[in-house]
Amino acid sequence: MRVLRRGDAGPDVAEIRSILAGMDLLPPVTGTDAYDTFDVAVENAVRAFQQSRGLMTDGVVGQATFQALKGASYHLGSRLLSYTIAAPIQGDDVFTLQERLTELGFDAGRPDGYFGAATERALKTFQRDMRLTPDGMCGPATIRELHRLSSPRARGGRPVFLREQEQVRQAGPRLRGKRIVIDPGHGGDDLGVVANGLREADISWDLARRLEGRMKATGMEALISRGPNHSPTELERAKFANDAGADLFLSLHSDGNPSPRAQGIASFHFGTGNGTTSTVGELLAGFIQREVAARTGMLDNRTHYKTWEIFTRTRCPAVRVEIGYLTNPDDSRKLGDPAFRDIVAEGMLIAVKRLYLLGEGDQPTGTFTFADVLAHELAKAE
């Protein structure tokens, strides 16, 4: 599809307007010409939709926003749902199905709006228990049973995220043996943000190598998602982590902004804004945010939930960190210094250690050192 923005017109814009109007984000429009136009009202409605869905709030309809808009036009029961490997069905109806199955005690995996193998397994088990044909297809009979069990008494918590926490607890406080995928953003011909003599792809690659070295020194298995001259898609990066059986996924980026005053560090994790969030991802994002901000003096832009594909398609807890703005003179000066990048890498390692410590022998933010981590690992090994 073509990217749509203010000033564009045509039947694809009319489709977007229709979806937004159906969500009460746009008033009904009279006149075919106006209905085909991507005007200021549409841009504002798109921004509101993006913000509500944890997407990049730019008012532009690219592939991710278009898929989310299309998905939002479906409700549970509006179409037959089934598992297809080549092109998984995606939409709000799938998300509702996943949440409903999970609340009823059937493990559909992380609610992400994609009808995958885990959703099919959970659905078949539900159908079998309800004495329906266990065909893995969510049709009228299955919908009726889901609605029949829709009373508040049949609803539970969010066990998929409780399982994430329990896996961290059972993994123990030692870093040795933990498998971490480090994902340097961009790469190859995709340079990312380029400003003040720095390229985002180069900065993220250098940080990934520094973090990799420190993680391996503690006994962790650190894997980098791309080579220096490659730029995988987000789906390919997620597949790399899934195939590797990663415990955690760390995506490294820097940011840019037309305003040179924009600066600081921000961290992101999976979350939808309606209470569905990766508990471990949120914890790790918070640890990284606090450690790196405390050690570097960068402006703390806090943690945020998002529904980016890198989060929805990665099975393990995932965090993306935007480390400074290359368009900001102060941030770019810091990031251009190898010694500063060492400090960032150490802060991230300490954040991962804090995640697995779960409060055991904790120290104030910014005071735990790489030497402390090594000493703790050695003590636990004896």
Side-chain angles (χ1 to χ4, degrees):
M1 61 157 289
R2 64 176 178 135
V3 175
L4 300 173
R5 50 174 49 87
R6 193 199 306 180
D8 289 335
D12 40 6
V13 175
E15 180 183 11
I16 291 169
R17 294 195 73 131
S18 177
I19 295 172
L20 291 169
M23 299 175 66
D24 293 327
L25 292 174
L26 273 180
V29 177
T30 57
T32 56
D33 289 340
Y35 203 72
D36 288 348
T37 303
F38 197 124
D39 55 19
V40 175
V42 174
E43 182 180 69
N44 290 336
V46 169
R47 287 181 184 274
F49 173 79
Q50 290 170 326
Q51 186 172 29
S52 69
R53 295 301 174 111
L55 298 166
M56 196 71 73
T57 310
D58 56 8
V60 174
V61 179
Q63 185 65 34
T65 298
F66 181 74
Q67 285 183 347
L69 281 165
K70 288 287 289 184
S73 66
Y74 298 109
H75 63 272
L76 189 59
S78 63
R79 58 178 173 169
L80 180 69
L81 299 177
S82 62
Y83 176 44
T84 57
I85 298 177
I89 295 176
Q90 182 263 341
D92 281 17
D93 50 350
V94 179
F95 185 88
T96 302
L97 172 64
Q98 291 169 327
E99 286 217 309
R100 193 73 196 100
L101 288 170
T102 300
E103 288 164 347
L104 290 170
F106 300 91
D107 183 10
R110 178 185 299 171
D112 58 9
Y114 288 87
F115 198 115
T119 304
E120 182 187 49
R121 285 194 299 269
L123 181 59
K124 284 182 176 180
T125 304
F126 171 78
Q127 291 171 325
R128 192 175 296 112
D129 287 359
M130 296 298 107
R131 298 186 178 181
L132 300 171
T133 302
D135 55 10
M137 293 187 289
C138 187
T142 301
I143 295 295
R144 281 195 297 271
E145 287 301 309
L146 287 168
H147 286 327
R148 185 175 68 82
L149 297 173
S150 62
S151 71
R153 288 173 298 177
R155 302 180 76 86
R158 301 192 183 275
V160 64
F161 300 117
L162 294 177
R163 281 192 290 271
E164 278 189 359
Q165 289 177 281
E166 181 60 16
Q167 287 170 355
V168 169
R169 189 190 69 78
Q170 291 186 355
R174 291 193 68 196
L175 294 181
R176 178 170 295 277
K178 306 293 194 297
R179 182 173 296 175
I180 313 297
V181 168
I182 307 169
D183 175 47
H186 307 280
D189 293 334
D190 179 8
L191 302 178
V193 177
V194 179
N196 291 316
L198 299 176
R199 306 189 302 187
E200 182 183 0
D202 297 337
I203 295 295
S204 63
W205 173 255
D206 181 80
L207 277 169
R209 294 302 304 272
R210 292 171 191 271
L211 184 55
E212 176 195 32
R214 284 162 175 76
M215 287 185 165
K216 287 185 174 179
T218 68
M220 300 176 79
E221 186 176 353
L223 307 172
I224 297 183
S225 65
R226 68 166 176 89
N229 300 315
H230 297 88
S231 181
T233 65
E234 289 206 339
L235 187 57
E236 290 169 338
R237 295 170 193 259
K239 185 177 185 302
F240 178 88
N242 294 339
D243 291 346
D247 296 304
L248 297 173
F249 181 92
L250 299 179
S251 187
L252 310 180
H253 288 257
S254 294
D255 214 334
N257 193 281
S259 170
R261 299 182 64 181
Q263 61 178 314
I265 178 174
S267 300
F268 304 86
H269 60 88
F270 173 76
T272 63
N274 67 352
T276 298
T277 185
S278 169
T279 311
V280 174
E282 186 174 0
L283 276 173
L284 180 56
F287 284 137
I288 291 176
Q289 189 66 25
R290 291 192 293 274
E291 285 293 335
V292 176
R295 292 164 189 272
T296 63
M298 299 183 86
L299 181 66
D300 184 353
N301 291 327
R302 304 184 303 279
T303 62
H304 308 270
Y305 62 84
K306 292 292 178 184
T307 57
W308 294 332
E309 193 171 40
I310 199 64
F311 296 148
T312 59
R313 308 310 294 275
T314 307
R315 288 197 290 266
C316 64
V319 171
R320 171 168 165 167
V321 191
E322 295 281 353
I323 308 152
Y325 283 74
L326 298 185
T327 47
N328 177 269
D330 190 45
D331 280 3
S332 61
R333 177 184 56 79
K334 290 177 178 177
L335 285 166
D337 182 358
F340 179 84
R341 298 196 294 272
D342 276 336
I343 295 172
V344 173
E346 179 167 329
M348 290 184 175
L349 174 69
I350 300 301
V352 172
K353 180 63 174 177
R354 285 193 185 279
L355 175 71
Y356 285 106
L357 280 173
L358 292 174
E360 176 191 329
D362 213 352
Q363 298 183 33
T365 300
T367 63
F368 210 17
T369 68
F370 183 49
D372 292 333
V373 172
L374 295 177
H376 187 274
E377 293 292 308
L378 182 61
K380 288 293 181 180
E382 295 175 348

